[in-house]
Amino acid sequence: RTSVVPSFSRRGTPTLPEGLRLWADTDDAPLRPLLHSDAYHGPVGDFLHHVADNSEADPAGVGINLLTFVGVMLGREVSFSAGRAVRHYPHVWAVVVGDTAAGGKGVAADTADLVLARIDPDPRRWEMSGIGSGPHFIDRLSEHPRALIREHELGGVFRTCARKGETLGTTLRNAYDGKPLRAGSRGSGEQEAVDYTVGALGSITPAEYRDLTSALSIADGSANRWLPVWVEIGDGDGLMPFGDTISDQFLTNAAEQITAGTSSAMGTDYVIEANSPTGDEWATFYRAHRRGTGDGGILNAFTARHVPHAVRLAIIYAAADGATALRPEHLRAAFAWCRYSAATLRHVFPRAATGDAARLLDIIRAAGSDGITEADQRDTLGRNVAGLPDLRNDLHTRSLIWPNKDRPEGGGRPAVRWFAVTAADEGGTPTTVRRNDQTPSTGGRS
C-alpha cells in the first residue's frame, strides 16, 4: 500500500504538486456526452431531429426508447449471423442514466411513446415491470414470450442480483443472450421460456449507478449487458415552458415509415460479407472492441460488450429502412450509440471510480475548496464502510484527491483535510451544444 504524506499549511491553502489543481476551480464535471450525427439516420433519425427542435426531451433518451421498442416489435423475425455459432436478434438492453427530475428520463420515454402509439395502438401491452426474482421473471416470460422490460428503478434490480443465493442475475444474463430459461424442478412444475423476445429499458441516477456498479457486477455480467445512455433536459433555448411543438403529421409520417420499413425487412437474416465496404467497417470496429477499448477498468469491461450491442442496433436501423442487407450507414449509426455509451461511462464514472470509492469521491468533491477531514468523511459515508483508508489511498494514487494537513490558528493537534483535484489541463470553458447540431461549438471536452 502506498504511503500518503499530506502537505502542511493553513486551512484553505492546500499545496498541490505541479500538474494538479483543485476540482472546485474547474467546471465541476466533465461536459455531457454528445450523440454523433451518424445516429440520426433514417426515419428514426428524422424523428430525433424533429424532437431536438420541438421538445426539451433529450434526443438520446428518446432514441434509445424508440430503438428498443422497435427491436421488440421485430422480435425474432430479423437476425444477424456470424458463422454457424453466432446469431443475434434485435433485442436491446439499455440503462438510461440521468439526475432525478432534471435528467428528464420520463420525458424522453413519454416523447418516444408519441410515435410508438402510432406504430402500435397499445404499445404498453408488451411492457413488463417489477422483474422480481429469477423464477418470477421466467414464469412471466413463459406466459408472455414477447416483452419490453421497463424498470423505472433499476437500482432495485441490481440490488436483487447482488443478494447471496439469488438467481436473478444469472437469469437476466441468459435472457440477454437469448438462452432457454428454466426454473423449478420437473417434479414440482418446471417453468420454461424459449424462443422469446425481450428488450429492456432501465432508469437510474448517476449516484446510484456508481454505487451499485461494482467489479463483481461487471465480472459476472449483471451490469455490462446494459448499454448506459446519458439523458439530460436541455438548458437555455432548449427549455420549453409552454410545452412541446411536435407535429402530429410528423409523428404519423415517422410511424408509417418505420412500420413500412420493418414490414419489408421481416424474415431477413443479415450477414456481413468480408472484403466489402460494410465488412471493412465492421472488421475495424470488431478488432477494436472485441476485448474492450484498452482504457482499462470499467470502460474496458463495458466496451467489450459493444460488439453485440452494435450488431443489434445496426439491424434495427436496417429494418427501419426496409433494407435486406446491412449497409455502412447502419453500422455507423450503431457505432455512434456505442461511442455515446462510452462517453456516458466517462461522464458518470470519473476515472472509473465505483461503489464506495465513487461515494467517497462525491463527498470530497462536494466539500469544495474547504476540503473535508477524515473524521467527517467517515461520518458522512457511514461508519460501517470497511477499508476507508484504502479507498482514500486508491483515489489519491490516481490523483483524484489530495491531502493537506491543517495547522490550527491557536495551536493544537493538526488535522488532515482532503481535497478533490484534477489534472491542470482538464475543465475549462463549457461547451455550447446546439439542439439540432451535435457538434461542440466552442472548445472543451465532449
Side-chain angles (χ1 to χ4, degrees):
R1 185 176 146 194
T2 305
S3 176
V4 177
V5 181
S7 56
F8 193 87
S9 62
R10 297 287 184 189
R11 178 177 174 180
T13 57
T15 302
L16 300 177
E18 185 178 356
L20 291 181
R21 62 172 171 166
L22 286 178
W23 173 265
D25 293 339
T26 69
D27 295 320
D28 293 336
L31 295 170
R32 62 149 298 168
L34 300 176
L35 184 62
H36 193 274
S37 59
D38 284 346
Y40 290 71
H41 171 78
V44 172
D46 291 342
F47 179 63
L48 297 188
H49 276 301
H50 187 72
V51 166
D53 293 334
N54 294 280
S55 169
E56 65 181 25
D58 190 330
V62 176
I64 201 63
N65 274 268
L66 181 55
L67 290 165
T68 302
F69 178 88
V70 173
V72 171
M73 182 178 68
L74 288 165
R76 300 171 73 90
E77 297 299 320
V78 300
S79 59
F80 168 83
S81 295
R84 290 176 292 180
V86 178
R87 181 178 295 271
H88 287 281
Y89 298 98
H91 308 158
V92 176
W93 288 39
V95 51
V96 175
V97 187
D99 292 313
T100 302
K105 300 184 289 293
V107 174
D110 291 343
T111 303
D113 283 350
L114 294 176
V115 68
L116 297 181
R118 286 164 169 79
I119 296 174
D120 186 313
D122 185 19
R124 295 190 183 276
R125 65 192 171 97
W126 289 346
E127 287 190 17
M128 177 193 298
S129 60
I131 291 175
S133 64
H136 177 69
F137 175 78
I138 295 171
D139 181 55
R140 296 181 67 183
L141 201 58
S142 66
E143 295 179 358
H144 304 283
R146 182 170 295 201
L148 172 62
I149 300 170
R150 266 187 174 172
E151 279 291 343
H152 300 295
E153 299 293 339
L154 190 63
V157 176
F158 283 173
R159 289 187 184 90
T160 301
C161 291
R163 290 176 191 159
K164 186 176 181 180
E166 174 56 59
T167 62
L168 181 59
T170 301
T171 300
L172 293 179
R173 293 195 302 272
N174 288 335
Y176 173 87
D177 295 334
K179 296 178 180 178
L181 304 176
R182 295 180 178 86
S185 62
R186 296 191 182 277
S188 60
E190 182 183 58
Q191 294 294 333
E192 182 179 62
V194 295
D195 297 333
Y196 52 83
T197 293
V198 59
L201 286 162
S203 297
I204 200 167
T205 65
E208 193 172 29
Y209 198 36
R210 286 191 294 268
D211 191 29
L212 297 176
T213 303
S214 64
L216 177 61
S217 69
I218 294 170
D220 72 4
S222 298
N224 66 349
R225 278 173 169 78
W226 298 78
L227 184 76
V229 174
W230 180 260
V231 173
E232 181 179 325
I233 289 177
D235 54 16
D237 293 339
L239 295 178
M240 306 188 73
F242 303 107
D244 67 72
T245 55
I246 294 175
S247 160
D248 282 338
Q249 186 60 53
F250 199 97
L251 289 171
T252 299
N253 292 344
E256 289 177 348
Q257 291 172 19
I258 293 172
T259 300
T262 53
S263 297
S264 299
M266 289 295 186
T268 302
D269 181 29
Y270 294 97
V271 179
I272 299 178
E273 300 289 344
N275 302 317
S276 66
T278 305
D280 292 344
E281 295 253 6
W282 174 246
T284 300
F285 179 86
Y286 184 92
R287 293 189 180 106
H289 289 77
R290 184 62 181 87
R291 296 185 178 180
T293 61
D295 297 77
I298 285 178
L299 192 61
N300 195 69
F302 273 87
T303 55
R305 285 284 175 191
H306 280 174
V307 168
H309 287 313
V311 165
R312 297 175 184 204
L313 289 164
I315 60 180
I316 294 172
Y317 274 103
D321 271 355
T324 55
L326 279 174
R327 300 195 296 264
E329 57 265 33
H330 301 141
L331 288 178
R332 288 195 291 268
F335 297 163
W337 283 101
C338 292
R339 291 196 299 273
Y340 186 81
S341 181
T344 295
L345 290 164
R346 293 188 184 97
H347 187 67
V348 175
F349 296 95
R351 306 275 184 93
T354 63
D356 287 335
R359 292 171 60 198
L360 176 60
L361 182 59
D362 283 344
I363 289 168
I364 297 175
R365 283 179 170 173
S369 58
D370 289 334
I372 183 170
T373 66
E374 294 177 358
D376 287 341
Q377 292 168 32
R378 186 171 58 253
D379 290 342
T380 305
L381 189 59
R383 292 181 177 272
N384 60 341
V385 173
L388 190 53
D390 290 328
L391 294 177
R392 268 193 302 266
N393 187 71
D394 177 56
L395 294 175
H396 175 260
T397 300
R398 289 187 281 158
S399 296
L400 292 172
I401 62 175
W402 206 263
N404 190 76
K405 185 176 289 187
D406 287 342
R407 187 196 302 274
E409 292 285 352
R413 185 177 180 180
V416 176
R417 306 185 75 84
W418 289 83
F419 297 82
V421 296
T422 187
D425 61 348
E426 293 188 9
T429 305
T431 296
T432 302
V433 181
R434 294 186 294 275
R435 295 283 292 167
N436 59 353
D437 181 359
Q438 301 297 297
T439 303
S441 60
T442 67
R445 290 172 295 159
S446 61

